Amino acid sequence: MTLESRYHIQNFTEGSATEPHWGYADRIVPCTNDAGSCEYLDVVYHSHDLGMLYSGILWSVIIGGLLLWGIIHRSHTSNRITRSINSFVRRRLLPEFKMGRYFFGRTTRLQVLVLLCLTIYLTIFSFVGIRYKIWKTPVKNHPELHNTRSSIGPLADRVGILAYALTPLSILLGSRESLLSLITGVPYQHFNFLHRWLGHIILLQSIAHTIFWCIVEIRLYQPQPSTAKSWITQTYMIWGVVAMILLLLLWGLSLQWSRRKFGYEFFRKAHYFLAMVYIGACWGHWAQLKCFMIPSLVLWLVDRAIRLIRTFLIHYKILSNGNGLFETIQAEIKHHDEDIIRMDFDNPNQLDFEIGQHFYICFPNTKGGIWQSHPFTPLSLPGEKHGYLIRAKKGETKRIMGSEGETTPVILTGPYGVDIMRDLGGEDNILCVAGGTGITFVLPVLLYLSKYGLTQGRMIELIWVVRHQRDTEWIAKELEDLRRDENIRITIRVTREIAIPGSNGMTTPTTESIRSKDLDGSQSEKTQTQEDVEKNGAIIPVSYNPELYSECPCNPPVYTSSSSSSTTPQIQMKNKVVDAEKAIEEGTEPHHRPDLGEAVKQFVGRTINGPTMVYVSGPGGMISDVRDEVALLNDGGRVWNGEERAEVRLIYDDRLE
């Protein structure tokens, strides 16, 4: 039974020849079984051959599409036709797919469309080409019993083939050393959405494959339970069970709850290890489909190997005596507030990178050591001293904040990402929008344009949204350099500025301290005096200005000092004192977030001629607002008629989420 069950009720000792089938067991010809079993085998092998064909078609479309995308990306073709088409596509496919935010998160219509097309293809061709019928066949040595053979078996095999075929694509989409980015110019992190959802699809396919074969072997085949026991104890089935367990672990640990519970670094390392073992288990389960497992394993190994080589080339030095030395880099650190540090160090060995690329940095002196690394974008220009901003959340970045001394050793890997100035035209107007530490993504663009005298003749503006005015100290030197260029307009919007509490009771800020921050960093004339406070019984938060912000505090809080020694500002609302920052975080008090969509619209409206390039980096909500407005500002018809202002392009980085 052992050999027969694996080769679909065939016995090699009864046939005179074999017929090869790619990705499956050879078929014995002529068929020596009963008529029903022979007809069933016809369906099984025909369905399998079609499954391999459909997998080949899927990969042909993927490879062909990528090659076409790569040709277009590298052709630098820019004429009225292509620009009009691109503007039309951006208007339709760039906005966020809001109807599916609960399931998909903040994703574009284009990403959801690609996923939908893939899902439709897999759904259709999981069922097409299978003859659906039930056969009752005799059981050898058990005349009183019969086997029920049906199309469940061929369907289970078809789903399994497609799951195997998707495995290399999943590795490609999740690879940091991304071949897809090299071909298309799209940053590797933008493929994470498809990588995650492809994992869901593979899991569903594997579950269906497992359930269907359990029904066949445990229920429909006779005699029982001997048939089921013989089936489950075979080597290929043991590997199948192992592969299913590993896949469930991969999926479970990738859920947001698991990442919060165990930490991102544990998830990342476990994901790498489990993925490699899973590929091996799939190979052990059905070696005939190694045509899909070999590329998966090669892609995984190449990704890991290139990472190590990159790190080696940055840090390995040849000494004067001919010996080699792997040397860490000593970085200067400067603390800002309780959760921000700035890190600076000299460019190692004239390391070359492009504007917009980032590095993975690990801190060997912390608890995580060389086993943990995090992506950071340098705020400096290539060839100059590296500068980074790090916001401590928890885990490794939190431990960095607690490090003693003014320096810390670091190890770099990279660079990763793409050149975000590659497609910037000489007449493009430029709007850079950043939130918090997202300034590191857009700042080098402005520094480069200013340093090389490329700001003349076009509109350039930086809109930086920060929590507090003091946050501008993170990049004080760089801001000073940019302010020397009169062609660059700098807008800093403060969202959480509050009055400084006094030592006793309610504190009334000075007139100066409660002025709202204007677009260019100056102050508005709308103030609130002590007389206003006594009359109205409320202090308007510093950052509130209805002309600049889309949200207003309808019930302005009163800031008081806590009776404890803590310096954390408090809010007194209806005799209840709460932490001001916590109230904003929990949404009980508005944080006066600026309407960035309106800001983008106004910027494009002020342009005189030429298209606009928008760079944005920050939290997901900020990127969604900017992305949706950029989509609305595109108009393919107006571009075709020669109105360049209707062409607005977007480059964004959402790695902060």
Side-chain angles (χ1 to χ4, degrees):
M1 183 67 184
T2 301
L3 188 62
E4 288 184 359
S5 64
R6 185 172 182 182
Y7 288 100
H8 274 298
I9 62 172
Q10 299 183 99
N11 192 330
F12 273 65
T13 61
E14 298 177 358
S16 59
T18 58
E19 182 180 83
H21 288 261
W22 188 30
Y24 212 51
D26 293 344
R27 184 176 183 185
I28 302 170
V29 292
C31 180
T32 58
N33 297 77
D34 59 273
S37 296
C38 290
E39 186 179 352
Y40 169 71
L41 287 172
D42 290 340
V43 173
V44 167
Y45 278 92
H46 179 66
S47 171
H48 170 81
D49 292 341
L50 286 179
M52 297 299 291
L53 175 63
Y54 298 151
S55 299
I57 292 173
L58 175 63
W59 271 104
S60 297
V61 171
I62 292 172
I63 294 174
L66 288 174
L67 290 177
L68 179 61
W69 193 344
I71 292 172
I72 294 174
H73 171 67
R74 298 183 180 281
S75 64
H76 296 283
T77 302
S78 180
N79 51 51
R80 184 177 295 185
I81 296 177
T82 58
R83 294 171 70 177
S84 299
I85 293 174
N86 289 335
S87 185
F88 175 84
V89 171
R90 277 192 291 270
R91 186 178 182 90
R92 299 298 186 275
L93 299 181
L94 183 61
E96 179 185 326
F97 185 67
K98 292 183 173 62
M99 293 176 57
R101 180 182 291 181
Y102 179 80
F103 296 100
F104 303 125
R106 298 183 182 276
T107 54
T108 65
R109 294 177 185 173
L110 176 61
Q111 290 174 308
V112 176
L113 178 62
V114 173
L115 176 63
L116 180 63
C117 292
L118 179 61
T119 304
I120 291 174
Y121 181 91
L122 293 172
T123 301
I124 292 174
F125 290 100
S126 292
F127 297 94
V128 169
I130 300 175
R131 182 184 176 189
Y132 296 94
K133 185 178 177 180
I134 296 176
W135 298 267
K136 300 290 185 178
T137 62
V139 178
K140 190 175 182 180
N141 300 325
H142 294 275
E144 75 283 2
L145 299 175
H146 68 269
N147 288 319
T148 302
R149 307 198 186 280
S150 69
S151 302
I152 293 180
L155 177 60
D157 286 344
R158 173 71 62 78
V159 173
I161 291 170
L162 293 175
Y164 271 58
L166 292 176
T167 303
L169 180 59
S170 178
I171 301 294
L172 269 177
L173 292 170
S175 174
R176 190 190 302 174
E177 305 291 343
S178 180
L179 180 62
L180 299 179
S181 295
L182 183 64
I183 295 173
T184 65
V186 177
Y188 72 91
Q189 61 267 22
H190 291 349
F191 295 114
N192 284 337
F193 166 76
L194 288 176
H195 173 71
R196 289 194 303 268
W197 277 92
L198 204 59
H200 298 326
I201 292 173
I202 292 175
L203 176 67
L204 292 176
Q205 290 173 321
S206 301
I207 291 174
H209 175 81
T210 301
I211 292 175
F212 289 162
W213 271 116
C214 285
I215 293 173
V216 170
E217 295 285 352
I218 299 175
R219 179 67 179 174
L220 300 181
Y221 284 0
Q222 300 297 326
Q224 292 295 346
S226 58
T227 299
K229 290 180 179 179
S230 175
W231 168 68
I232 199 64
T233 55
Q234 295 175 80
T235 302
Y236 88 102
M237 272 310 305
I238 294 174
W239 279 115
V241 172
V242 171
M244 191 69 233
I245 293 173
L246 290 170
L247 184 58
L248 287 170
L249 285 173
L250 276 166
W251 180 80
L253 290 175
S254 66
L255 297 177
Q256 188 174 6
W257 177 88
S258 299
R259 294 201 301 269
R260 288 199 302 263
K261 179 70 175 178
F262 301 107
Y264 176 77
E265 282 301 324
F266 175 82
F267 151 73
R268 194 163 65 93
K269 293 295 186 292
H271 211 66
Y272 294 151
F273 175 76
L274 292 174
M276 180 183 65
V277 181
Y278 167 74
I279 293 171
C282 288
W283 192 330
H285 175 60
W286 201 255
Q288 289 88 343
L289 288 177
K290 61 179 177 289
C291 55
F292 298 121
M293 295 299 103
I294 291 176
S296 301
L297 192 59
V298 168
L299 288 170
W300 187 93
L301 291 173
V302 167
D303 179 68
R304 304 303 301 169
I306 294 180
R307 295 188 196 186
L308 292 175
I309 292 172
R310 282 179 182 266
T311 305
F312 178 85
L313 293 176
I314 294 173
H315 292 274
Y316 192 78
K317 297 181 179 180
I318 302 296
L319 303 179
S320 58
N321 59 7
N323 295 327
L325 173 67
F326 187 91
E327 186 177 59
T328 60
I329 300 170
Q330 287 297 319
E332 302 172 0
I333 57 175
K334 182 178 180 180
H335 292 258
H336 294 273
D337 297 327
E338 296 180 353
D339 63 342
I340 295 289
I341 64 171
R342 171 157 177 170
M343 185 172 63
D344 296 274
F345 54 84
D346 292 330
N347 191 37
N349 299 326
Q350 296 302 312
L351 177 63
D352 190 25
F353 65 94
E354 304 292 342
I355 292 177
Q357 291 186 310
H358 59 272
F359 291 86
Y360 274 78
I361 304 178
C362 76
F363 303 86
N365 277 7
T366 60
K367 184 178 178 180
I370 62 173
W371 302 109
Q372 297 191 23
S373 61
H374 295 266
F376 300 105
T377 303
L379 57 84
S380 49
L381 293 176
E384 298 181 357
K385 189 173 184 177
H386 283 230
Y388 297 88
L389 292 177
I390 301 175
R391 181 183 296 278
K393 295 183 178 180
K394 58 182 180 179
E396 189 73 359
T397 54
K398 191 69 173 179
R399 286 190 286 268
I400 299 169
M401 291 296 300
S403 61
E404 299 180 357
E406 298 180 351
T407 63
T408 185
V410 297
I411 298 177
L412 290 182
T413 302
Y416 297 104
V418 298
D419 180 3
I420 62 175
M421 297 188 67
R422 177 182 181 276
D423 298 323
L424 188 63
E427 297 181 354
D428 288 344
N429 301 294
I430 300 165
L431 173 63
C432 293
V433 182
T437 56
I439 188 66
T440 61
F441 182 75
V442 304
L443 183 62
V445 174
L446 302 174
L447 292 174
Y448 180 88
L449 294 174
S450 180
K451 179 177 180 179
Y452 294 101
L454 303 176
T455 61
Q456 187 70 31
R458 50 184 172 187
M459 280 186 55
I460 301 176
E461 182 175 351
L462 166 65
I463 300 177
W464 187 20
V465 182
V466 294
R467 295 178 179 179
H468 308 285
Q469 184 177 5
R470 63 179 180 270
D471 295 344
T472 58
E473 297 173 5
W474 304 345
I475 55 168
K477 179 182 179 301
E478 288 78 11
L479 283 178
E480 183 180 353
D481 292 340
L482 290 179
R483 287 193 174 106
R484 294 194 187 102
D485 193 326
E486 60 183 13
N487 298 310
I488 299 178
R489 182 180 183 183
I490 299 176
T491 299
I492 299 176
R493 298 189 175 183
V494 181
T495 64
R496 299 188 182 186
E497 198 79 324
I498 60 178
I500 302 174
S503 57
N504 295 304
M506 180 187 300
T507 300
T508 303
T510 64
T511 300
E512 182 72 17
S513 69
I514 60 175
R515 290 177 178 173
S516 300
K517 301 300 180 292
D518 206 346
L519 290 176
D520 59 358
S522 62
Q523 298 170 327
S524 68
E525 294 302 320
K526 184 175 181 178
T527 63
Q528 189 177 28
T529 64
Q530 175 66 30
E531 181 181 352
D532 295 327
V533 173
E534 294 175 353
K535 180 179 180 181
N536 300 323
I539 299 176
I540 297 177
V542 174
S543 61
Y544 173 55
N545 185 333
E547 297 179 356
L548 305 181
Y549 299 94
S550 59
E551 301 176 7
C552 69
C554 300
N555 297 306
V558 176
Y559 296 107
T560 74
S561 61
S562 172
S563 58
S564 66
S565 59
S566 172
T567 59
T568 302
Q570 307 288 313
I571 298 176
Q572 185 179 27
M573 292 294 291
K574 297 180 180 179
N575 299 322
K576 181 180 180 182
V577 178
V578 296
D579 182 271
E581 287 284 316
K582 185 177 181 181
I584 293 174
E585 289 284 357
E586 294 177 348
T588 57
E589 288 300 325
H591 55 69
H592 325 304
R593 183 179 65 188
D595 189 343
L596 294 175
E598 182 64 24
V600 174
K601 181 179 179 180
Q602 291 180 5
F603 176 86
V604 175
R606 293 196 303 269
T607 60
I608 300 175
N609 53 41
T612 297
M613 178 72 84
V614 179
Y615 295 95
V616 59
S617 177
M622 172 184 292
I623 292 177
S624 293
D625 293 345
V626 173
R627 187 165 53 198
D628 289 351
E629 188 61 38
V630 166
L632 288 174
L633 292 171
N634 277 276
D635 191 324
R638 290 165 58 193
V639 174
W640 174 256
N641 292 328
E643 189 175 345
E644 293 181 327
R645 292 174 57 189
E647 180 186 3
V648 184
R649 306 194 302 281
L650 175 69
I651 295 179
Y652 65 94
D653 178 41
D654 56 358
R655 289 179 299 108
L656 296 183
E657 291 256 311

